[in-house]
Amino acid sequence: MHDGIIQQEDQGRTPPLRLGGLHYAWIVAATGAVAMFCGLGLGRFAFGMLLPSMSASLELNYTQSGILGFTNLIGYLVAVILSPLILPRFGTRATGTASLLLIAASMLGMAFTTSFPLLCTLYVLTGIGSGGVVLPMMSVMSHWFFPSHRGLALGLVMAGPGFGIILSGFVVPKLLPVSTLLSWQTGWLIFAVINVVVACLTFTLIRNHPNDVNQSPFGRTPTLPVKNKKKLERSNIKLLVHLGIIFAIYGATYMVYVTFIVTSMVGSYQLSEATAGGIWAWIGLLSVFSGMLFGWISDHIGRRLGLALAFFFLAIAYLLVGLTDWTLGLYMSIILFGLVVWSVPVIMAASAGDYFGPAAAASALAALTFAFSGGQALGPVAAGYLAELTGDFSISYMMSGIAAFVAIGLALLLRPQKSV
């Protein structure tokens, strides 16, 4: 069995593409991480830092804040629905590049408006672009990596959004109005420029398949034959639904946390916006390691047990801010959430390749992400409504903790995956 690092070259064949002797799979993974930095880190999670200043200047209530976040997820769902049609035709390279440019255009529009309806419309486009980055960058790893290293590679890709959280946490509180633009509008303008630069990088370095550069996937060759069916089998629908429910629970609970935890820190915990930004940046710093950590763990103990362990830590993080307004509990929650935040998407993406095979991984991941997006869409809206009734987000965090324990039980009911 080869380890994927040294590949035999056939006589008369073009030498495989490498950078400094590094297997090109890792170049693709690193580029995917940079794309995810924009697609999720800036396109989705920077919103939580910009939200307090946006709400103040636009006089938004909790429900309207939830609706604005919901519009992004509508766009994300549109991308999920279209991806099985677009991705096979255009590939990861073209789809990811175009999506990053769409995000840039929508952010540029948001930088020059204070109209709430127009912001909602533009944030739908941002959501479409985010989905158009996430699905290709995650699913292409099933082509580039065998199961032995698939979780670790996906963890590297999911390190990207963490840097987006770090950037927004440190930069957003320091933003100042520029000419007629408010501070949050300046933030969107800066993020738009970054997206254009990363789109150029993505087009330059991403490759759709190892065959494009005369290489084989990285990792240990599987002992069982790799599934090559391009469509999901009907017998796998039950498993897909099972995984989808788990992913929907994660989507709803984590989205409540990332959307409103900064608002809670400023409101319930009476922290300044700058202090809350610094704490938010710590989530980003810790999250850089979360995907790689749990990807590696799931490579060794299996996706089923990896999911259960991840949800256990998520449940504790949610309950720490749901059951008490203790500041130390907030810090403990931040640490736990940061260390585990990208665990579930990484394990789900790896599971799509493991359970359904590399060729069908994109379709399986699209279906799973649809369920995930549905949870994300409902979570912030429900939490915003409950906050209007109760005055804070404690009940929402408590319900998130209970839901996470339900997900642990569902994860343990999964059958162990076979190596594919």
Side-chain angles (χ1 to χ4, degrees), residues 160-217:
F163 288 105
I165 294 175
I166 294 170
L167 179 69
S168 63
F170 284 121
V171 171
V172 170
K174 296 179 175 61
L175 292 175
L176 297 173
V178 176
S179 184
T180 59
L181 296 180
L182 301 171
S183 60
W184 58 267
Q185 293 174 300
T186 304
W188 288 126
L189 182 59
I190 293 171
F191 296 159
V193 173
I194 294 173
N195 269 273
V196 172
V197 174
V198 173
C200 296
L201 181 69
T202 299
F203 185 78
T204 301
L205 295 178
I206 285 288
R207 296 295 182 270
N208 298 324
H209 196 277
N211 291 341
D212 296 343
V213 289
N214 296 321
Q215 289 197 336
S216 299

Side-chain angles (χ1 to χ4, degrees), residues 6-191:
I6 301 176
Q7 304 290 337
Q8 296 289 338
E9 294 177 15
D10 298 329
Q11 288 187 340
R13 186 181 179 187
T14 303
L17 180 60
R18 295 173 182 272
L19 292 183
L22 183 67
H23 192 289
Y24 203 77
W26 294 110
I27 305 300
V28 173
T31 307
V34 178
M36 294 283 276
F37 159 77
C38 288
L40 278 185
L42 302 183
R44 173 77 58 82
F45 301 119
F47 175 75
M49 271 306 304
L50 292 169
L51 183 58
S53 58
M54 291 177 68
S55 298
S57 63
L58 298 176
E59 299 182 346
L60 304 180
N61 57 36
Y62 286 136
T63 301
Q64 288 175 310
S65 298
I67 290 172
L68 186 56
F70 177 74
T71 61
N72 180 268
L73 296 168
I74 292 175
Y76 198 89
L77 281 170
V78 171
V80 170
I81 293 171
L82 295 179
S83 63
L85 302 175
I86 294 175
L87 196 52
R89 182 172 180 179
F90 296 102
T92 295
R93 185 188 187 195
T95 304
T97 301
S99 298
L100 288 165
L101 292 175
L102 177 61
I103 294 173
S106 64
M107 288 179 171
L108 187 64
M110 287 190 287
F112 293 97
T113 183
T114 56
S115 166
F116 178 69
L118 184 55
L119 281 172
C120 288
T121 302
L122 290 167
Y123 210 35
V124 169
L125 297 179
T126 306
I128 294 174
S130 294
V133 171
V134 173
L135 286 169
M137 296 304 162
M138 297 292 275
S139 62
V140 79
M141 296 304 135
S142 292
H143 291 292
W144 275 99
F145 291 88
F146 285 128
S148 64
H149 289 75
R150 190 172 290 157
L152 180 61
L154 285 162
L156 173 60
V157 173
M158 282 304 300
F163 288 105
I165 294 175
I166 294 170
L167 179 69
S168 63
F170 284 121
V171 171
V172 170
K174 296 179 175 61
L175 292 175
L176 297 173
V178 176
S179 184
T180 59
L181 296 180
L182 301 171
S183 60
W184 58 267
Q185 293 174 300
T186 304
W188 288 126
L189 182 59
I190 293 171
F191 296 159

Side-chain angles (χ1 to χ4, degrees), residues 368-394:
L368 292 173
T369 306
F370 186 84
F372 167 63
S373 301
Q376 288 185 99
L378 293 175
V381 174
Y385 176 74
L386 287 173
E388 287 288 335
L389 296 178
T390 62
D392 61 29
F393 295 94
S394 297

